[in-house]
Amino acid sequence: MHSSGRQLWWVLGVVWILAAGSAEAQQTSSATPDEAAVVSARVPPPASAQLGAMLGGAEFMLILDRPFAAEKLFNAVLAQDPKNAHALDGLRRVKLAKRTSWTFLVHGFGNHYDTQLATWGGGPSFYTEHGKVTFWVGDGFYKSGGTSLQKITLNGFWEPYYKNFDGYAYINRTFYPDAPDRTLYDFKGTWNRRPGRESYSIFGGQHDSFLQDDTAQFFAPESITEVEEKILNRNIGATAQIPLGKHIDFMPTFSQFYYTACQKNCAAFGNTPSNSRQIAQGKLMYRVLPRGGAQMPIFRIGAAYLWDKCDFGSGIYNCPVNFHSVSITADYIFVSGKYRYGVFVTYPITGTSGDGIFPNTGRFDPAEALYSFLNYKVTESQELWVKVLGAHSAGFSPRCFDIVVGTNLRF
């Protein structure tokens, strides 16, 4: 269902920009690391640079859904300026932000292989001094090749943070009445050495789709065979964002994957024992914007390289052998008082790559892809958000779309 071209977009494009959750597929959308320096438009000219920095930091913590951290900064401002109007208003908004929030969403996916995913669900998030805890229930169906399976999920999230460290842990139990049930999980830990510019992360988990990670936990499995045969992949890896001077970001990533074997009937796909996969990637991005004293918008353009190798090719989960791809990539992000939006594009400049023949299918074509998100704050207690992804390739890669629409509410 997904090709290495689509992998190129998600792995190289989205992991870095969305790592802080700016457009999480089925979560409360939060800010990108580059927003660390953003002072909300509501912040008046500060009486001092120190107060201005604290007010800006408090607003950033509210964007990240960290009301307890924001409360400490607003109180620190009031300790120096007891009548500071913005800090007093900030504490009012912190009180609202500490309330339990509820997320409701719908998610749809389709491609030219006649694979469809339609799910809906949601649940509450609770806020503590040590992070956010979320519980969700989901329902829907997965359909491919004339087979339709009901899919029910129970999900738990924990997003802790401490100073320059933040983490993410996720556990899922997926029930298919007509296919094997499964337990999935994901984790990630990040050290933000220079928030917005330099960070180092480790990640891993167990998934039933190659593209599931901390920003897209519910991505559809690549094929109906993968679902019915309960083929899972376990991965471990590391990634970093390293500044090279004032305007260049270098982003290396390495991941190791292990696939479980087919359980019963995969003869039509040839050799399908357990498989392993290694991915090495690198990305160089030049920061065109912002310039001068501005903090928004953020616009970057650069090049991405991907090497993707499996022990043997597989058409079940689109596993290539010695796949290489180079692409031009760009991203644009803007944050204001009520809106947050971004656009990410990638365009390959290399062609078909990989070793292998049908039925193992180790050759793929890179795909052009576009991803966009929009968040709109209707009121202080309600936010609407949408994310859309589209990918296209003229060769052996799927043409597909993915869309998620949701709302976050506080009562």
Side-chain angles (χ1 to χ4, degrees):
M1 175 164 54
H2 303 284
S3 73
S4 292
R6 186 164 167 85
Q7 294 160 11
L8 172 65
W9 169 241
W10 276 96
V11 177
L12 290 179
V14 178
V15 165
W16 288 106
I17 307 302
L18 305 183
S22 61
E24 291 184 7
Q26 302 192 29
Q27 291 197 72
T28 300
S29 299
S30 58
T32 66
D34 289 289
E35 294 166 30
V38 176
V39 178
S40 168
R42 292 177 293 180
V43 179
S48 70
Q50 183 182 18
L51 291 183
M54 287 191 291
L55 289 172
E59 292 295 337
F60 177 58
M61 291 299 104
L62 285 177
I63 290 174
L64 289 183
D65 255 356
R66 298 177 179 179
F68 287 88
E71 182 179 43
K72 290 179 181 179
L73 288 169
F74 283 131
N75 281 329
V77 171
L78 291 173
Q80 299 183 44
D81 182 5
K83 296 183 179 180
N84 187 286
H86 184 79
L88 291 170
D89 181 68
L91 289 180
R92 178 191 63 80
R93 290 182 285 119
V94 162
K95 186 177 181 181
L96 175 63
K98 286 182 178 180
R99 295 180 186 175
T100 300
S101 67
W102 291 79
T103 298
F104 304 95
L105 58 94
V106 293
H107 178 201
F109 172 87
N111 66 18
H112 73 298
Y113 295 149
D114 195 30
T115 298
Q116 299 175 25
L117 173 73
T119 58
W120 48 89
S125 294
F126 306 94
Y127 299 89
T128 74
E129 292 187 56
H130 304 291
K132 182 170 70 172
V133 178
T134 300
F135 301 98
W136 283 351
V137 176
D139 196 2
F141 69 86
Y142 177 88
K143 181 180 179 181
S144 181
T147 300
S148 182
L149 300 174
Q150 184 184 15
K151 180 179 181 180
I152 302 168
T153 63
L154 301 177
N155 311 275
F157 307 81
W158 181 40
E159 300 171 69
Y161 61 89
Y162 177 74
K163 294 185 177 179
N164 282 355
F165 294 88
D166 57 71
Y168 168 86
Y170 163 70
I171 188 165
N172 160 286
R173 183 63 177 170
T174 297
F175 301 94
Y176 289 104
D178 299 310
D181 301 335
R182 61 212 60 199
T183 298
L184 311 175
Y185 58 88
D186 196 88
F187 65 86
K188 185 175 184 179
T190 300
W191 174 41
N192 298 291
R193 186 171 184 268
R194 292 171 55 190
R197 287 303 308 274
E198 185 175 2
S199 62
Y200 303 87
S201 303
I202 58 172
F203 56 85
Q206 174 170 282
H207 315 95
D208 61 359
S209 169
F210 166 75
L211 296 174
Q212 292 168 356
D213 60 15
D214 63 302
T215 63
Q217 303 89 348
F218 307 104
F219 222 95
E222 283 89 340
S223 69
I224 191 71
T225 302
E226 193 172 14
V227 175
E228 294 178 331
E229 295 296 325
K230 195 181 177 180
I231 298 176
L232 304 177
N233 72 76
R234 303 179 181 100
N235 75 300
I236 188 74
T239 188
Q241 176 169 288
I242 304 168
L244 301 179
K246 185 176 181 180
H247 299 293
I248 298 177
D249 296 329
F250 172 55
M251 292 165 281
T253 299
F254 180 81
S255 303
Q256 174 72 56
F257 291 82
Y258 300 95
Y259 288 85
T260 60
C262 266
Q263 295 187 355
K264 294 181 180 179
N265 183 23
C266 291
F269 293 92
N271 188 25
T272 53
S274 58
N275 202 353
S276 68
R277 182 178 200 165
Q278 300 84 38
I279 296 177
Q281 6 186 12
K283 189 175 181 181
L284 278 174
M285 299 293 285
Y286 180 78
R287 292 174 174 256
V288 180
L289 296 174
R291 292 295 191 189
Q295 291 152 344
M296 286 288 155
I298 298 169
F299 173 51
R300 304 187 304 176
I301 187 168
Y305 170 78
L306 171 67
W307 173 75
D308 191 348
K309 177 184 178 297
C310 297
D311 286 351
F312 60 88
S314 173
I316 297 174
Y317 38 81
N318 291 333
C319 211
V321 179
N322 286 327
F323 177 86
H324 301 264
S325 180
V326 178
S327 66
I328 302 299
T329 183
D331 52 62
Y332 179 92
I333 297 172
F334 181 79
V335 179
S336 66
K338 284 193 172 185
Y339 295 93
R340 296 200 302 275
Y341 62 85
V343 178
F344 311 87
V345 297
T346 185
Y347 186 84
I349 58 176
T350 55
T352 304
S353 178
D355 304 326
I357 58 174
F358 185 85
N360 289 332
T361 313
R363 290 179 63 81
F364 291 88
D365 295 275
E368 308 97 28
L370 181 146
Y371 175 85
S372 183
F373 72 88
L374 170 65
N375 297 68
Y376 173 63
K377 199 162 188 177
V378 182
T379 67
E380 289 183 347
S381 59
Q382 181 183 12
E383 182 181 47
L384 300 176
W385 53 273
V386 60
K387 79 173 188 75
V388 179
L389 180 142
H392 174 269
S393 173
F396 186 72
S397 287
R399 277 84 67 186
C400 59
F401 73 89
D402 186 271
I403 181 169
V404 185
V405 179
T407 183
N408 308 316
L409 302 170
R410 285 181 168 86
F411 298 104

